[in-house]
C-alpha cells in the first residue's frame, strides 16, 4: 500500500472537517440537527482543532517510512481513530432517522480509512529505491 497516498487523502479529509468545525461550528450543528448552544459550538471547535492536529500530523509524516515497526504510534493513532469511529458510526448511522445524508457517507469513509490503516499496520514496508 502506498502510505503517502493514504496519509495525503486522510490529511485532506481530516483537514476539511477540522476547518469546517473550527470556523463554522453552528452551521455544522445545524446540518446534524443538533441544538446550537455556546457549549455545543465550543465542543465542535475543540473537535475541529483535534481534526486539524491529526491532519497535520499525517501531512508531516507522509514522506516517512510507515508500517511494521516504523512510525507505529502514527499508524496506531490513525487506526484507533478510524476503526473506533467506523464501529461507532456503523452502530448509529443506520438507526437514526435524521442526518443520514451526512452519517452514511461518513461511515463509509471511516471504514475505508480503518481498512487502509489496518493494512499498513499488518504489512512490513517495502524498501524505496
Amino acid at each position: 500500500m502506498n502510505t503517502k497516498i493514504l496519509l495525503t487523502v486522510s490529511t485532506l479529509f481530516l483537514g476539511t472537517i477540522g476547518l469546517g468545525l473550527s470556523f463554522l461550528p453552528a452551521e455544522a450543528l445545524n446540518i446534524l440537527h443538533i441544538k446550537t448552544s455556546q457549549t455545543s459550538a465550543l465542543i465542535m471547535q475543540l473537535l475541529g482543532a483535534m481534526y486539524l492536529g491529526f491532519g497535520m500530523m499525517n501531512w508531516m509524516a507522509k514522506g516517512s517510512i510507515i508500517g511494521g515497526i516504523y512510525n507505529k504510534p502514527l499508524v496506531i493513532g490513525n487506526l484507533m481513530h478510524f476503526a473506533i469511529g467506523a464501529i461507532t458510526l456503523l452502530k448509529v448511522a443506520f438507526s437514526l432517522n435524521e442526518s443520514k445524508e451526512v452519517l452514511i457517507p461518513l461511515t463509509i469513509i471511516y471504514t475505508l480509512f480503518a481498512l487502509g490503516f489496518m493494512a499498513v499496520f499488518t504489512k512490513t514496508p517495502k524498501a524505496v529505491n
Side-chain angles (χ1 to χ4, degrees):
M1 165 160 291
N2 189 333
T3 57
K4 188 171 186 172
I5 293 172
L6 179 64
L7 289 173
T8 302
V9 173
S10 69
T11 295
L12 294 172
F13 173 72
L14 295 169
T16 301
I17 291 176
L19 286 172
L21 293 178
S22 293
F23 295 108
L24 303 168
E27 290 78 359
L29 289 165
N30 287 334
I31 290 170
L32 295 171
H33 306 289
I34 298 172
K35 183 181 175 194
T36 303
S37 69
Q38 230 177 354
T39 304
S40 62
L42 173 65
I43 290 170
M44 294 302 264
Q45 287 178 311
L46 290 173
L47 186 62
M50 186 212 55
Y51 272 95
L52 283 170
F54 226 126
M56 285 305 299
M57 180 180 65
N58 286 349
W59 179 257
M60 294 177 77
K62 72 182 182 339
S64 303
I65 297 173
I66 298 173
I69 63 169
Y70 301 103
N71 281 311
K72 191 166 254 183
L74 176 85
V75 175
I76 291 292
N78 277 288
L79 177 59
M80 295 302 293
H81 170 80
F82 287 114
I84 293 170
I87 292 166
T88 304
L89 285 163
L90 280 168
K91 285 180 9 183
V92 173
F94 296 102
S95 64
L96 290 179
N97 292 328
E98 54 193 33
S99 302
K100 281 189 176 189
E101 67 280 354
V102 175
L103 293 179
I104 291 174
L106 195 60
T107 302
I108 293 167
I109 293 168
Y110 261 75
T111 302
L112 292 173
F113 278 127
L115 293 171
F117 282 105
M118 177 58 80
V120 170
F121 177 70
T122 58
K123 293 194 173 37
T124 304
K126 295 178 182 174
V128 178
N129 295 328

